[in-house]
Structures are given as C-alpha cells and as structure tokens.
Amino acid sequence: MTERTAETPTTEQGPDSRPPRRARNGVSAAAPARHVPENGARGSGRTFTIVAWTVLIIFAVLWLIPSLWAIKTSLTDNGVSAVGAGAILKDWNLTFASYFTLLSAGNIWNWYLASFVTAALTTIFAVLFSAMAAYALSRLRFRGRNVIFLLFIGGILVPPQVLIVPIFQMLNIGGLLNTYWAVILPQIPTVVSVFVFKQFFDGIPRDFEESARIDGAGYWRSFRSIIMPLSRPVMAAMAIVTFVGTWNNLILPLFVLSNPKLMTIPVGLATVQGSYGQRLSDIQASSILGALPLVILFLIFQRRIVEGFAGSGLKG
Amino acid sequence: MTATAEIQSAPVARPTRDDESGSPRTKGMSRAGWLFLVPFGVFYVLFLIWPVIYMLITSFFNTTMIRNGFGGFAGFANYQEMLTKPEFWSAMWHTIQFTIYTTPPLVILAFVFAVLANRAQHGQWFFRLAFFVPFILPSAAIALIWTFIFTPGTGLWNSFQTLLGDDAPLPVLGTPSIAMVGIAITTVWWTIGFNFVLYLAGLQDIPRELYEAAAVDGASPWQQIRSITIPLLGRTTTLVILLQIVASMKIFDQVYLMTAGGPGISTQVLLGLVTNTAFTDYRVGAASAASVLLFIVILLITLVRQLIVRAQERREATR
C-alpha cells in the first residue's frame, strides 16, 4: 500500500488556483477542464501562491543553515574557526585538512565498520524474522494465533528505551557486553514491521499460493518464492527504516559498548567533543562524516525512505 | 520500477477463511505457523517480554549493578523514594516541559510545510531534502552541529544576537532557564521531517475533486485549506500529535549529548534520571521503579490515543 501512494504524483494534487501556470506546463491537458470563477478567488489565489512560496522558501533556507554552517566550518582551518562565527564567514580559504586528519588518524573507520556491521545484521534478521512472523499471522490458521497477535500488539506499547537497564543486565549476565551482538540482538524484535508486513500480506490474494500448493510447494517455499518477491517494496521500506533506526541508535550502544574500537558512529561522535577540545573544524568534520552515509543513502533511495517512514509511522 | 508493477498487478482481495478448520491440512499448517513464529518470537520474548518482567520485579528489590541477583526485597520503597524525591519530579517536569515546547511547533510547522510543499509542482525534492534529511541523521551529529551554533562567544547564534545589538547574549545551553529551549529548537529542526512526511502522505489521500468543486464554487485557497484540508487531515493530526507526545516523553539523546542534564539539573529528563540511577549510582532497583513510572505515563498517553482514534473511526463510520 505504501507503494501505491508513492506512485501517485504529488504534483497533481495542487488546488487549481494557478490556471496560467498549469496551462503553461501542460498539466491542464491531462486534467479535466476546469472552470475558474472570475470573482475574488482568482486574485486571492495569486496572493496565496506568492505568500506560500515566500514562506516555504524562507523556512527551507532557515532549515538548511545549520547544515551549511557545519559544512563551512568543517572546511575552515581550525585556527580560524576558533576565533568565532565572523571569522568562519569571512575566511574562504577552503581546506580539507580536518577531513584528512580524521580519515587518516581517527577511529572513524572503526566506527563506520561497527555501525555498518551492526545495522546490516540487525536489518537482515529483523526484516526476515518479522516477515516470517507476519506470514504466519496473516496466511496460516492455527490455534493460539489470536493470542500471539494480541501479545505483539502489546509490544507496540513498550518503548525500548525504557528497557535499557534490564537489557543491559541481561547482556551483562550473558557476557555479551562489548560485542557487536549486544547491539544487534536487542534490536531484532521490531514489532511495527510485523504489522506493516501483515497488513500487506493480508492484501495478497490466496489464489497466488493455492496454485503453487497444488504443485506441491510447502509453506516455506511459498513464503520464499511467492510472498517475498511480491512484497519487495515493503521489504525495502522496512529494511531502510530498520537500518536507519539502528544506525542512529545512541542509547543502547552507548551503554553496552565501552571499547573505542567497537563504538558505532553515534557513540563515537558523542565522545568527540571532549577529545577534540577547541578544534572546532575537526569536530564539525566528524559530524559531517558521521552523517554522510545516511545522506548518500537518502539521495539514492529518496522516495523509498520517505514512504517507508510514513508507512511505519501510520502503523505504529 | 519493476517492483511497482508487481504490486499494482496484485488485486486487493480479502483472503478467504475457508481453511480455518476441519481440513486435513490444518495440522501441518499449525506446525508451520509456529515454526514461522519461532525466530521472531524468541527475540521478542528475550528482549521485550522478559525485560519488562525483569524491570517490574527489580523495581521491588534493592537490586544493584555491583552484586549478582535481585538483592533484598524492598516492597514499594523504590517507588516511594522516587515519588517523594525532588529530582524525580524535576525530571518529570523537564520531560513535560520539553514535550510542551516541542509538540506545537512540530505539529503546526509540519502541517504548514506539508500543505505548502504539496502545492509546489516542481522542486518538491528540494523541500524533502531541506526538511526531511535532518531526521535521518544521527542525534550525535545533530548535537555537535547545534552545540557549536549555541557556543557562547564564538557560536553562530551568539554572533547573530550581537549583530542585532545584544552586547552580552546569554549562553543558550549554559543558562538554566533557556537551556531546554535550545534543546527544543534543536529537536524541532531535527525531527520535523517525520511529521512533514506523515502530513504529505495524508494530503495525498484527499481527493482532488473536492478542491476542484470548491474552486468552482469560488472558494479561495485559504477557504479551501480551512474547510477541506484541515478537517480531512483530522486523523493525521491526531496521529501526529500523539506520536509526537510519546516521542517527546522518551527524550534522552539530545539532553545527554548537549547539556548532560545541566546546568545543575535544569535539563535532567526522566530517561536521564533512569540511566544515571542505574549506571552511575548502580541502583538498578530504583532505576527500574523510575522506568516503570515513565512507562506508565507513556502507556496512558498511548491508551488515550487508542480511545481517540476509535472515537474518530466511529464518528466517520456513522457519517
């Protein structure tokens, strides 16, 4: 269902208060002929458009300033940035020195590795296991199914952050502290994705499987070769949401990882401010480097990411 | 994309329930059902159900990090301690304060941005980039950027204030009365993209014929927003508000990273109190009691949400 809304072009949604514009870009050819009254509405439509665009652009610029500021600072010499905001603005001798320092000496490669390994493994397990659970709840009828379903609904009410102390205790007893597993395992039960998957599986007609079953395919086979391929868009959306969520999780790795070599990016960045002191350009470069993989991910999967988050939010 | 084509070719039909019982397949299906549930179920029990039970149990014991086992039975002493402790109530107040500061802008601004961006025929990618990208960045990167902006003396915000003529601007994160405002501004900047996207999705469900009919009747865009967009986004708004309140109640990252609860305890929040009690004071029992109390508050908000959503559904059904 997420995919269908994704393919509805947003641009078609605009109320038709801008007839000249529509005529110019040819959208009106596809849209039904429209009668625009001559009284008042047209004039206020134009005012509205101007006000709307002004407000939107002002806010978009405001929203971009912090990131641009961080980028500019990271490209400035540490000595200059220590002087203050005015000096950073005036100095246009851009330098990549901070990036070179961090990439050659810092722990950043360890952090990237830790974040990548933990986020990727969590995502694989979480998506596969929650899709399997959703398949059972959606396609298979068996006793106890409704009880399990209610139990899962209950899980949505539990904010994982609140469980940090008992989870730490368990990992401690299990001897898993300071291993990647301590970050991966607790994040595997993603209840929301079970619901998103179930919702989607409920909409797939039974006939798809029936014919395969007549040919002798088992449940695992029909899950793997019929249901999973059909749900690729949902899988992608859930995978992205899980990946971004685990990549960015701070509270869990913060308390279960203390070895700097194993730290994920958020935990590593949290230690940066103390260790870099007054080297403001280095600090900003590290925040840019920490954010970079996700910005790249966003640029590649723009639509999927946006739809994925919208889908998960509407269900959770 | 090929994936899209596949989805659209799948007609939306409800599955039949003919094989609910009596068929010879039921037994095999039952076994398959449980096998499919096992992998998720194991992690669900281990890392969700058991921690909740463990948290409830330890909240009644003097459990500590230093020794193994639950420790001595404490009855309601941990709860009593928390409920009579000024630090607990100040943390509770700061959590609520943060929620009050962040929820209205995160709902209203997200609505405005979405309605305006939805009208933009071209360049929507630009607004998604501007508003949504901060949301997917790690809180630690956000904190580094904003701490730097708020740095007293050399930061961008102080320089801006000086430019406006304020000779000695207050250090935002270093002044007890406004430190939480600084954290709230950071959070609004960071997380608005999520609500923005929820509103954009909601806007796409409004049939455009409604706007066309309104335009034919001579309704101005302002009137259209007031009498079509706002009422039809009612359910989205309820969802956004309640998701936002729950999310704000769980605030931890920004405070931990930007002020560590300071200056003094002026920005200490509930999750910060929980982690301090557990990982600095090693008092797991007391921390569990505080977690349970926070959990109850969040649970109540979620239940209120369920009630409101159900009432809205009923109202829509009778209409």
Side-chain angles (χ1 to χ4, degrees):
Chain A
M1 67 98 226
T2 41
E3 198 49 33
R4 208 168 295 121
T5 50
E7 292 311 313
T8 312
T10 341
T11 47
E12 287 291 307
Q13 295 281 326
D16 50 347
S17 48
R18 281 170 291 168
R21 186 187 178 93
R22 281 185 175 273
R24 221 184 305 129
N25 62 24
V27 178
S28 61
R34 210 165 294 127
H35 166 75
V36 177
E38 294 306 313
N39 56 21
R42 187 177 204 158
S44 86
R46 199 168 297 140
T47 324
F48 183 85
T49 307
I50 294 168
V51 174
W53 273 96
T54 316
V55 170
L56 196 56
I57 287 174
I58 289 176
F59 272 107
V61 169
L62 271 179
W63 241 255
L64 287 173
I65 286 177
S67 318
L68 296 177
W69 182 244
I71 295 172
K72 175 71 187 73
T73 308
S74 71
L75 295 171
T76 308
D77 183 76
N78 274 308
V80 176
S81 60
V83 179
I88 298 172
L89 267 186
K90 276 179 217 130
D91 180 70
W92 282 93
N93 298 320
L94 301 186
T95 161
F96 282 91
S98 294
Y99 289 94
F100 287 129
T101 316
L102 290 171
L103 290 174
S104 59
N107 269 323
I108 192 118
W109 294 110
N110 287 326
W111 302 343
Y112 274 139
L113 181 73
S115 279
F116 183 77
V117 170
T118 54
L121 286 178
T122 308
T123 305
I124 293 170
F125 289 131
V127 170
L128 179 66
F129 293 170
S130 52
M132 284 169 66
Y135 176 79
L137 293 174
S138 165
R139 315 296 277 190
L140 306 174
R141 315 278 143 193
F142 55 93
R143 208 192 284 247
R145 179 169 154 271
N146 293 327
V147 179
I148 300 279
F149 191 61
L150 283 177
L151 210 62
F152 283 177
I153 288 186
I156 281 193
L157 304 177
V158 184
Q161 295 91 332
V162 172
L163 300 178
I164 183 66
V165 177
I167 285 178
F168 177 89
Q169 288 279 81
M170 281 181 59
L171 295 168
N172 191 10
I173 292 165
L176 289 170
L177 292 182
N178 269 318
T179 66
Y180 287 160
W181 296 113
V183 182
I184 297 167
L185 302 179
Q187 297 191 87
I188 291 178
T190 47
V191 192
V192 172
S193 49
V194 175
F195 285 90
V196 176
F197 276 125
K198 184 184 178 302
Q199 187 100 357
F200 184 82
F201 293 164
D202 282 347
I204 302 176
R206 298 229 132 201
D207 328 3
F208 276 65
E209 281 167 284
E210 286 304 317
S211 49
R213 294 203 48 76
I214 290 164
D215 292 344
Y219 293 105
W220 173 250
R221 180 81 190 279
S222 80
F223 170 72
R224 210 195 54 197
S225 11
I226 296 170
I227 301 291
M228 274 176 75
L230 277 177
S231 20
R232 269 206 302 252
V234 193
M235 296 247 168
M238 287 303 105
I240 288 169
V241 171
T242 314
F243 189 87
V244 173
T246 40
W247 182 285
N248 286 344
N249 191 341
L250 172 76
I251 189 164
L252 177 69
L254 180 69
F255 292 114
V256 301
L257 302 177
S258 53
N259 181 348
K261 287 219 171 335
L262 292 175
M263 283 177 181
T264 58
I265 286 174
V267 188
L269 288 182
T271 65
V272 155
Q273 219 152 9
S275 50
Y276 286 95
Q278 281 302 298
R279 287 152 59 199
L280 297 173
S281 300
D282 290 359
I283 293 177
Q284 292 311 306
S286 67
S287 77
I288 304 280
L289 284 177
L292 201 59
L294 292 173
V295 175
I296 294 171
L297 192 75
F298 177 83
L299 293 176
I300 300 174
F301 297 108
Q302 245 203 77
R303 180 155 276 177
R304 280 269 146 77
I305 290 183
V306 171
E307 293 303 323
F309 274 101
S312 71
L314 289 166
K315 299 298 172 311
Chain B
M1 257 188 148
T2 52
T4 315
E6 279 164 2
I7 287 316
Q8 280 168 345
S9 72
V12 187
R14 307 306 296 179
T16 51
R17 295 171 66 91
D18 56 352
D19 46 4
E20 186 74 65
S21 61
S23 133
R25 291 215 312 261
T26 313
K27 209 170 163 193
M29 198 185 259
S30 178
R31 208 184 51 171
W34 288 104
L35 282 177
F36 270 96
L37 281 172
V38 161
F40 187 84
V42 167
F43 287 97
Y44 187 77
V45 171
L46 267 180
F47 293 106
L48 216 92
I49 308 238
W50 173 241
V52 170
I53 296 171
Y54 186 89
M55 178 174 80
L56 287 172
I57 296 174
T58 49
S59 70
F60 293 104
F61 286 84
N62 284 321
T63 313
T64 156
M65 283 281 175
I66 324 167
R67 254 171 287 116
N68 283 337
F70 285 131
F73 184 69
F76 282 94
N78 287 326
Y79 288 97
Q80 202 189 358
E81 179 197 329
M82 281 300 156
L83 292 172
T84 53
K85 200 169 162 173
E87 284 88 350
F88 175 82
W89 289 108
S90 103
M92 177 69 90
W93 165 238
H94 296 142
T95 309
I96 294 170
Q97 201 183 13
F98 175 79
T99 309
I100 295 172
Y101 287 166
T102 49
T103 307
L106 279 171
V107 175
I108 298 168
L109 284 181
F111 174 81
V112 172
F113 293 174
V115 167
L116 298 182
N118 197 39
R119 292 172 57 94
Q121 304 202 341
H122 302 289
Q124 225 185 43
W125 64 268
F126 171 72
F127 299 115
R128 268 205 303 239
L129 190 80
F131 298 134
F132 188 71
V133 165
F135 176 68
I136 58 166
L137 304 185
S139 54
I142 305 292
L144 287 180
I145 294 174
W146 280 87
T147 310
F148 176 55
I149 289 176
F150 287 142
T151 306
T154 55
L156 187 64
W157 178 242
N158 266 198
S159 309
F160 181 65
Q161 280 176 302
T162 320
L163 202 72
L164 291 182
D166 189 344
D167 287 333
L170 289 170
V172 177
L173 299 177
T175 311
S177 58
I178 54 169
M180 193 55 100
V181 176
I183 294 174
I185 292 173
T186 307
T187 307
V188 170
W189 182 82
W190 177 32
T191 58
I192 200 160
F194 182 64
N195 295 348
F196 172 73
V197 160
L198 287 188
Y199 268 124
L200 272 184
L203 282 169
Q204 293 183 359
D205 287 341
I206 300 180
R208 76 188 275 206
E209 290 79 23
L210 287 176
Y211 292 110
E212 285 165 8
V216 169
D217 291 345
S220 71
W222 306 107
Q223 288 167 326
Q224 290 175 18
I225 288 178
R226 210 170 41 227
S227 45
I228 301 176
T229 319
I230 293 180
L232 284 182
L233 283 182
R235 282 182 67 180
T236 312
T237 303
T238 318
L239 176 88
V240 168
I241 292 176
L242 291 160
L243 280 181
Q244 188 55 55
I245 293 177
V246 172
S248 292
M249 293 297 291
K250 292 187 288 197
I251 185 204
F252 171 80
D253 291 18
Q254 301 94 301
V255 169
Y256 175 85
L257 295 160
M258 294 175 74
T259 64
I265 56 161
S266 63
T267 55
Q268 182 65 288
V269 288
L270 279 174
L271 264 179
L273 180 78
V274 168
T275 52
N276 273 355
T277 312
F279 299 111
T280 313
D281 304 343
Y282 300 119
R283 297 187 55 214
V284 173
S288 292
S291 306
V292 171
L293 292 170
L294 172 61
F295 180 43
I296 290 171
V297 174
I298 293 178
L299 204 64
L300 286 177
I301 301 169
T302 318
L303 290 178
V304 168
R305 176 193 156 192
Q306 291 297 333
L307 290 178
I308 294 177
V309 168
R310 208 160 296 162
Q312 272 179 333
E313 271 167 6
R314 214 173 303 135
R315 205 171 340 123
E316 267 165 37
T318 54
R319 197 155 37 196

